[in-house]
Amino acid sequence: MKVVAFNGSARREGNTALLLSTVLAELAAEGIDTEIYHLAGKPIQGCIACFQCFKNKDRRCAVAKDIVNECVEKMAGADGILLGSPTYFADVSASMKALIERCGMVGRANGDLYRRKVGAGVVAVRRAGAYHVFSSLNAFFLIGQMIVCGSSYWNIGRGREPGEVAGDEEGMKTMRDLGRNMAWLLKRVNG
């Protein structure tokens, strides 16, 4: 089994990456292959609503000048998907929004490509707005007919400066619990 995590933060090694890495460490301890894919510094744009993916049905986005088709392949090849985003003006980052739009559209155009995969959203926040981000991430999983994995609290960690989230004891425990819960669920779904 494999879980791929997408880090939607502009900071490659910031709080979002730390939260995702904590979840991935628990999955790896359970024998599950993991990968983190950083969107930072890579070209990605939002959906242009050309609907070519619905005509072509080739598991690809027709706009092939950025990273989206690589991301679609990674999602399609994984058993579990983690989406991580910082909180930017009470929503996901622009690169995460573009990933959700484009990968989501290709998935829907191709018979719900991610159906029955296990998914979870992870949010880094300085102070407020995180619940809306969490909801935006979960909407991707739910419309794609994925199984959303929960934890002991909302999958949110608090911190502003890189690494500061490590001091959020409850947030870090939530990530460890999420990793263990996701491993358990993956083993049941793929048993």
Side-chain angles (χ1 to χ4, degrees), residues 38-53:
H38 301 280
L39 301 181
K42 296 178 178 157
I44 187 167
Q45 70 174 56
C47 182
I48 62 170
C50 68
F51 295 101
Q52 281 301 125
C53 54

Side-chain angles (χ1 to χ4, degrees), residues 47-174:
C47 182
I48 62 170
C50 68
F51 295 101
Q52 281 301 125
C53 54
F54 281 89
K55 293 176 186 168
N56 297 340
K57 296 192 183 300
D58 61 358
R59 298 166 59 135
R60 300 185 56 76
C61 178
V63 178
K65 64 183 179 183
D66 61 16
I67 62 170
V68 166
N69 286 322
E70 180 182 359
C71 295
V72 168
E73 286 178 27
K74 288 181 180 298
M75 286 183 184
D79 301 291
I81 300 168
L82 288 166
L83 297 180
S85 181
T87 303
Y88 287 177
F89 292 88
D91 213 335
V92 296
S93 67
S95 57
M96 180 54 68
K97 179 63 174 157
L99 182 83
I100 287 170
E101 288 177 3
R102 304 262 304 285
C103 290
M105 190 70 91
V106 170
R108 298 218 11 111
N110 288 274
D112 289 313
L113 193 54
Y114 320 120
R115 179 182 34 227
R116 299 192 184 109
K117 293 181 185 292
V118 175
V122 168
V123 182
V125 64
R126 180 187 70 84
R127 189 170 186 87
Y131 190 76
H132 181 74
V133 178
F134 189 53
S135 181
S136 293
L137 297 173
N138 285 329
F140 171 81
F141 304 126
L142 294 170
I143 198 168
Q145 298 185 49
M146 293 178 63
I147 303 161
V148 179
C149 185
S151 185
S152 50
Y153 197 71
W154 312 123
N155 305 336
I156 296 166
R158 189 176 37 81
R160 179 180 177 176
E161 297 306 317
E164 191 176 335
V165 76
D168 177 7
E169 285 183 38
E170 185 177 19
M172 295 305 287
K173 178 187 181 309
T174 300

